[in-house]
Tab-separated table of all heavy atoms in Angstrom:
chain	number	residue	atom	x	y	z
I	690	ARG	N	-20.175	-0.334	7.786
I	690	ARG	CA	-20.736	-1.702	8.049
I	690	ARG	C	-21.978	-1.765	8.805
I	690	ARG	O	-22.251	-0.850	9.782
I	690	ARG	CB	-19.753	-2.534	8.949
I	690	ARG	CG	-20.042	-3.934	9.039
I	690	ARG	CD	-18.970	-4.816	9.420
I	690	ARG	NE	-19.474	-6.161	9.724
I	690	ARG	CZ	-18.884	-7.183	10.254
I	690	ARG	NH1	-17.627	-6.925	10.624
I	690	ARG	NH2	-19.399	-8.147	10.525
I	691	VAL	N	-23.029	-2.597	8.471
I	691	VAL	CA	-24.276	-2.640	9.238
I	691	VAL	C	-24.465	-4.047	9.655
I	691	VAL	O	-23.945	-5.007	9.216
I	691	VAL	CB	-25.432	-2.149	8.386
I	691	VAL	CG1	-25.341	-0.677	7.921
I	691	VAL	CG2	-25.571	-3.145	7.069
I	692	GLY	N	-25.552	-4.160	10.614
I	692	GLY	CA	-25.922	-5.539	10.935
I	692	GLY	C	-24.947	-6.077	12.039
I	692	GLY	O	-24.305	-5.413	12.711
I	693	ALA	N	-24.865	-7.491	11.979
I	693	ALA	CA	-23.954	-8.135	12.845
I	693	ALA	C	-24.341	-7.756	14.242
I	693	ALA	O	-23.396	-7.162	15.031
I	693	ALA	CB	-22.535	-8.028	12.564
I	694	GLY	N	-25.437	-7.920	14.716
I	694	GLY	CA	-25.859	-7.594	16.102
I	694	GLY	C	-26.526	-6.263	16.182
I	694	GLY	O	-27.320	-5.867	17.073
I	695	ARG	N	-26.288	-5.364	15.336
I	695	ARG	CA	-26.803	-4.105	15.450
I	695	ARG	C	-28.160	-3.994	14.370
I	695	ARG	O	-27.953	-4.524	13.232
I	695	ARG	CB	-25.835	-2.920	14.802
I	695	ARG	CG	-24.836	-2.574	15.825
I	695	ARG	CD	-23.839	-1.606	15.319
I	695	ARG	NE	-22.831	-2.411	14.414
I	695	ARG	CZ	-21.882	-1.734	13.657
I	695	ARG	NH1	-21.735	-0.409	13.734
I	695	ARG	NH2	-21.111	-2.455	12.852
I	696	PRO	N	-29.162	-3.423	14.801
I	696	PRO	CA	-30.325	-3.503	13.915
I	696	PRO	C	-30.064	-2.429	12.767
I	696	PRO	O	-29.393	-1.433	12.890
I	696	PRO	CB	-31.429	-2.878	14.745
I	696	PRO	CG	-30.878	-2.270	15.941
I	696	PRO	CD	-29.436	-2.887	16.200
I	697	VAL	N	-30.556	-2.889	11.487
I	697	VAL	CA	-30.262	-2.079	10.293
I	697	VAL	C	-31.478	-1.085	10.209
I	697	VAL	O	-32.640	-1.540	10.207
I	697	VAL	CB	-30.177	-2.960	9.071
I	697	VAL	CG1	-29.961	-2.001	7.834
I	697	VAL	CG2	-28.954	-3.882	9.240
I	698	ASP	N	-31.227	0.211	10.207
I	698	ASP	CA	-32.274	1.117	9.949
I	698	ASP	C	-31.866	2.118	8.820
I	698	ASP	O	-31.154	3.073	8.923
I	698	ASP	CB	-32.518	2.042	11.187
I	698	ASP	CG	-33.611	3.064	11.069
I	698	ASP	OD1	-34.195	3.017	10.033
I	698	ASP	OD2	-33.789	3.829	12.001
I	699	LEU	N	-32.362	1.748	7.594
I	699	LEU	CA	-31.891	2.436	6.311
I	699	LEU	C	-32.315	3.896	6.512
I	699	LEU	O	-31.714	4.847	5.974
I	699	LEU	CB	-32.495	1.764	5.158
I	699	LEU	CG	-31.740	0.480	4.726
I	699	LEU	CD1	-32.442	-0.054	3.606
I	699	LEU	CD2	-30.198	0.691	4.446
I	700	SER	N	-33.495	4.153	7.142
I	700	SER	CA	-34.083	5.478	7.240
I	700	SER	C	-33.195	6.354	7.989
I	700	SER	O	-33.250	7.587	7.948
I	700	SER	CB	-35.380	5.510	7.727
I	700	SER	OG	-35.495	5.088	9.087
I	701	ALA	N	-32.343	5.819	8.801
I	701	ALA	CA	-31.376	6.547	9.640
I	701	ALA	C	-30.038	6.935	8.866
I	701	ALA	O	-29.137	7.665	9.487
I	701	ALA	CB	-31.119	5.996	10.916
I	702	ILE	N	-29.985	6.381	7.697
I	702	ILE	CA	-28.757	6.564	7.051
I	702	ILE	C	-29.004	7.579	5.918
I	702	ILE	O	-29.769	7.200	4.876
I	702	ILE	CB	-28.196	5.305	6.402
I	702	ILE	CG1	-27.813	4.386	7.499
I	702	ILE	CG2	-26.754	5.517	5.631
I	702	ILE	CD1	-27.278	2.838	7.141
I	703	ASP	N	-28.315	8.724	5.889
I	703	ASP	CA	-28.676	9.770	4.835
I	703	ASP	C	-28.037	9.508	3.624
I	703	ASP	O	-26.803	9.498	3.585
I	703	ASP	CB	-28.181	11.187	5.428
I	703	ASP	CG	-28.520	12.384	4.534
I	703	ASP	OD1	-29.007	12.100	3.315
I	703	ASP	OD2	-28.253	13.397	4.899
I	704	PRO	N	-28.701	9.315	2.438
I	704	PRO	CA	-28.180	8.874	1.155
I	704	PRO	C	-27.117	10.001	0.746
I	704	PRO	O	-26.310	9.765	-0.181
I	704	PRO	CB	-29.235	8.630	0.233
I	704	PRO	CG	-30.333	8.424	1.133
I	704	PRO	CD	-30.168	9.275	2.336
I	705	ARG	N	-27.253	11.211	1.279
I	705	ARG	CA	-26.292	12.438	0.781
I	705	ARG	C	-25.102	12.516	1.704
I	705	ARG	O	-24.381	13.379	1.560
I	705	ARG	CB	-27.114	13.704	0.667
I	705	ARG	CG	-28.013	13.702	-0.445
I	705	ARG	CD	-28.628	15.136	-0.641
I	705	ARG	NE	-27.492	16.227	-0.961
I	705	ARG	CZ	-27.001	16.276	-2.280
I	705	ARG	NH1	-27.367	15.421	-3.202
I	705	ARG	NH2	-26.153	17.183	-2.525
I	706	SER	N	-25.057	11.710	2.819
I	706	SER	CA	-24.005	11.811	3.854
I	706	SER	C	-22.671	11.251	3.224
I	706	SER	O	-22.633	10.514	2.224
I	706	SER	CB	-24.294	11.108	5.099
I	706	SER	OG	-24.524	9.642	4.835
I	707	THR	N	-21.526	11.542	3.876
I	707	THR	CA	-20.267	11.194	3.329
I	707	THR	C	-19.312	10.671	4.478
I	707	THR	O	-18.312	11.168	4.770
I	707	THR	CB	-19.543	12.367	2.707
I	707	THR	OG1	-19.539	13.497	3.747
I	707	THR	CG2	-20.310	12.852	1.490
I	708	PRO	N	-19.741	9.522	5.138
I	708	PRO	CA	-18.956	8.962	6.228
I	708	PRO	C	-17.514	8.689	5.828
I	708	PRO	O	-17.212	8.141	4.902
I	708	PRO	CB	-19.720	7.845	6.622
I	708	PRO	CG	-21.119	7.826	5.974
I	708	PRO	CD	-20.932	8.700	4.730
I	709	GLY	N	-16.630	9.144	6.777
I	709	GLY	CA	-15.231	8.788	6.562
I	709	GLY	C	-14.529	9.817	5.722
I	709	GLY	O	-13.224	9.793	5.655
I	710	LEU	N	-15.187	10.723	4.961
I	710	LEU	CA	-14.499	11.583	4.063
I	710	LEU	C	-13.773	12.575	4.897
I	710	LEU	O	-14.251	13.195	5.891
I	710	LEU	CB	-15.430	12.426	3.235
I	710	LEU	CG	-14.933	13.075	2.068
I	710	LEU	CD1	-14.734	12.161	0.902
I	710	LEU	CD2	-15.973	14.159	1.537
I	711	PRO	N	-12.364	12.677	4.692
I	711	PRO	CA	-11.685	13.568	5.483
I	711	PRO	C	-11.944	15.121	5.510
I	711	PRO	O	-12.601	15.363	4.366
I	711	PRO	CB	-10.220	13.384	5.099
I	711	PRO	CG	-10.352	12.804	3.716
I	711	PRO	CD	-11.645	12.107	3.625
I	712	ALA	N	-11.854	15.792	6.511
I	712	ALA	CA	-12.074	17.244	6.482
I	712	ALA	C	-11.319	17.909	5.368
I	712	ALA	O	-10.025	17.600	5.359
I	712	ALA	CB	-11.840	17.821	7.758
I	713	LEU	N	-11.877	18.589	4.304
I	713	LEU	CA	-10.991	19.035	3.260
I	713	LEU	C	-11.103	20.556	3.273
I	713	LEU	O	-12.033	21.237	3.711
I	713	LEU	CB	-11.707	18.646	1.906
I	713	LEU	CG	-11.795	17.189	1.663
I	713	LEU	CD1	-12.562	16.974	0.437
I	713	LEU	CD2	-10.423	16.610	1.431
I	714	SER	N	-9.973	21.079	2.743
I	714	SER	CA	-9.986	22.532	2.676
I	714	SER	C	-10.761	23.081	1.482
I	714	SER	O	-11.024	24.237	1.266
I	714	SER	CB	-8.517	23.079	2.646
I	714	SER	OG	-7.893	22.373	1.527
I	715	VAL	N	-11.154	22.180	0.628
I	715	VAL	CA	-11.833	22.529	-0.452
I	715	VAL	C	-13.383	22.207	-0.364
I	715	VAL	O	-13.722	21.412	0.392
I	715	VAL	CB	-11.395	21.827	-1.739
I	715	VAL	CG1	-10.050	22.337	-2.141
I	715	VAL	CG2	-11.266	20.285	-1.613
I	716	THR	N	-14.247	22.915	-1.098
I	716	THR	CA	-15.731	22.610	-1.093
I	716	THR	C	-16.182	22.557	-2.499
I	716	THR	O	-15.627	22.837	-3.422
I	716	THR	CB	-16.398	23.802	-0.308
I	716	THR	OG1	-16.103	24.988	-0.999
I	716	THR	CG2	-16.020	23.898	1.132
Side-chain angles (χ1 to χ4, degrees):
R690 189 167 171 185
V691 295
R695 281 174 287 172
V697 177
D698 180 4
L699 287 176
S700 67
I702 302 174
D703 180 358
R705 286 190 69 74
S706 60
T707 56
L710 195 77
L713 299 172
S714 53
V715 290
T716 53

